[in-house]
Amino acid sequence: MPPARKTALSSGSSSVQDYVKVIYAFTEWQDKPITSSQLAVRLGVANSSVSEMVRKLVELQLVDHRPYSAIELTGAGRRLALTMVRRHRVLETFLVQELGYAWDEVHDEAELLEHTVSDTFINRMAAKLGNPQRDPHGDPIPSADGTVHVPNAVQLEELDGGHTGRITRISDADADLLRFFSSEQIRLDDRVEVVGRRPFGGALVVRFGPTGSARELDLGDQAAAALWVHSDPHPGCLLAS
Amino acid sequence: MPPARKTALSSGSSSVQDYVKVIYAFTEWQDKPITSSQLAVRLGVANSSVSEMVRKLVELQLVDHRPYSAIELTGAGRRLALTMVRRHRVLETFLVQELGYAWDEVHDEAELLEHTVSDTFINRMAAKLGNPQRDPHGDPIPSADGTVHVPNAVQLEELDGGHTGRITRISDADADLLRFFSSEQIRLDDRVEVVGRRPFGGALVVRFGPTGSARELDLGDQAAAALWVHSDPHPGCLLAS
DNA sequence: CCCAATTTTTCGGCATGCCTAAATTTTGCC
DNA sequence: GGCAAAATTTAGGCATGCCGAAAAATTGGG
């Protein structure tokens, strides 16, 4: 008897889910596919572990991979990844809105729960929340059928002086950073203006808050990379025709 | 460096938690400690697996055990078990009250989640629910500090004809049975009267509902064992002086 | 173009938990 | 009390995922 034939789309083990999720997250921003060693770093495992697991993911038809080349999700892999992303973000939203968690507390809890909860559970949470489109950090929540609307934002880091915009996304990867943003009262949907950059690769100077009472602030590289901005059209930039 | 020294009270693996939970659940009703083979049946694993795991539980000082004799929880074991029971029952209550789950849907979901959630998560759920004393099946919810009030109920099965009482607890072990109770409109806190027993080990005849419009019903052994009743004092029984 | 540095894979090992089959110990019936 | 049946433990294996070390493939600088 064949061993209980996986529902194809269905979960896979907790490890499989993590691998697929990280591969997806990488591709979401970089346009290059992820390499074995980058995957190892992000998962905190040895390169050899990645090699083995990737072989398994190929068998499960979740990724495409030729030896010594980069790793790309298949359609099924992408669907699984989107399921995991949806779970994670619905959970985070629920923790904040219904259970009074703070911004910086939700990531780790969601990271654990996302592997365990049923689709029913997620969908009922989402329904209770009114099927929100984004989570507390501004990350888009894929719908149950797997569609996502990724807002076209850029990292604050990449904007030149003079640009203005609205914060649409704040990376939840580093809880300390989130606490820093909290303490500086930097929040989703705040307006922001890039003033300039301190010389010799120094901090980014930005202005936050309403145009009258704006606070000026120095942001280090990590902070500037964690903030994603929907940039307003700018005189010096004709890309947005 | 010693390997990340367990917080003593802290979780243990998912398997350890299940073993401890089943050992506890058994002792909650039977006054004899559980044997190896009974444990195997309840966990759905082979006897040999139990032997191995019990050795590990002894090492972890969660149970006491001499070879070939029964298995008993230590203080730490009981504390861990109560933590798990609390988690399970808070989860069940939350699923029913906040997410609109039905009675018979919650057990399996809670069974999975109880191993994954943090204490914070459980305590915030409990707080949101107003720190309930019992779950949707009437099972008592241990408080965060590990105190439980077990209502002194007996299985309906064990009552003789003529006894009356109130249903205080309905075992959630069998979802089909729960659906049966639902369809028969048998609910927590309903009054019940034992009419008698069909001859030759037959079904138990009981009467449910308000004294005027009561329905009479035959209950099989499994159904009668799943219903726990707080029995009223009875003329023929002088145990409650 | 070639060789050394880097990346990736393979190879043996470890830990967890489970299994079946084979001891071993206990129990209960006569 | 003895002996067979039942319960329990030990022994040897399997699957999953991880590791470090060693081998193999790729790469990039001279």
Side-chain angles (χ1 to χ4, degrees), chain A residues 43-115:
Chain A
L43 284 163
V45 300
N47 288 321
S48 51
S49 307
V50 172
S51 270
E52 283 177 55
M53 183 57 96
V54 167
R55 193 184 314 131
K56 183 177 173 177
L57 294 177
V58 170
E59 263 170 40
L60 292 173
Q61 312 204 30
L62 293 170
V63 305
D64 289 327
H65 180 239
R66 302 190 335 273
Y68 296 98
S69 71
I71 299 149
E72 281 178 278
L73 290 177
T74 61
R78 198 167 304 108
R79 277 193 293 281
L80 177 55
L82 279 171
T83 300
M84 298 314 297
V85 169
R86 172 172 162 81
R87 289 180 179 200
H88 185 93
R89 293 181 184 167
V90 168
L91 281 163
E92 286 196 344
T93 310
F94 193 89
L95 292 175
V96 167
Q97 300 208 344
E98 299 287 325
L99 293 180
Y101 274 69
W103 225 20
D104 53 282
E105 294 176 315
V106 295
H107 182 80
D108 293 346
E109 187 91 48
E111 198 78 13
L112 288 176
L113 287 173
E114 65 188 12
H115 301 299

Side-chain angles (χ1 to χ4, degrees), chain A residues 120-228:
Chain A
T120 304
F121 185 80
I122 289 298
N123 292 339
R124 295 203 184 167
M125 276 192 167
K128 173 136 198 174
L129 293 165
N131 294 305
Q133 298 277 329
R134 57 179 205 177
D135 76 8
H137 312 98
D139 295 316
I141 299 179
S143 61
D145 64 18
T147 45
V148 224
H149 299 287
V150 179
N152 67 334
V154 294
Q155 282 166 292
L156 189 52
E157 198 181 36
E158 295 180 353
L159 288 185
D160 296 321
H163 276 92
T164 58
R166 195 171 39 82
I167 300 179
T168 59
R169 219 169 153 173
I170 303 178
S171 167
D172 67 339
D174 183 341
D176 283 332
L177 209 43
L178 284 177
R179 280 188 281 278
F180 167 71
F181 291 139
S182 270
S183 72
E184 292 295 342
Q185 314 227 319
I186 292 171
R187 275 189 285 256
L188 223 49
D189 296 327
D190 279 358
R191 293 210 55 78
V192 62
E193 178 187 344
V194 178
V195 177
R197 201 172 253 287
R198 303 260 178 238
F200 308 116
L204 197 69
V205 183
V206 293
R207 200 175 321 194
F208 284 98
T211 334
S213 66
R215 310 178 304 289
E216 214 164 86
L217 202 64
D218 276 33
L219 290 181
D221 281 349
Q222 291 183 25
L227 294 174
W228 294 74

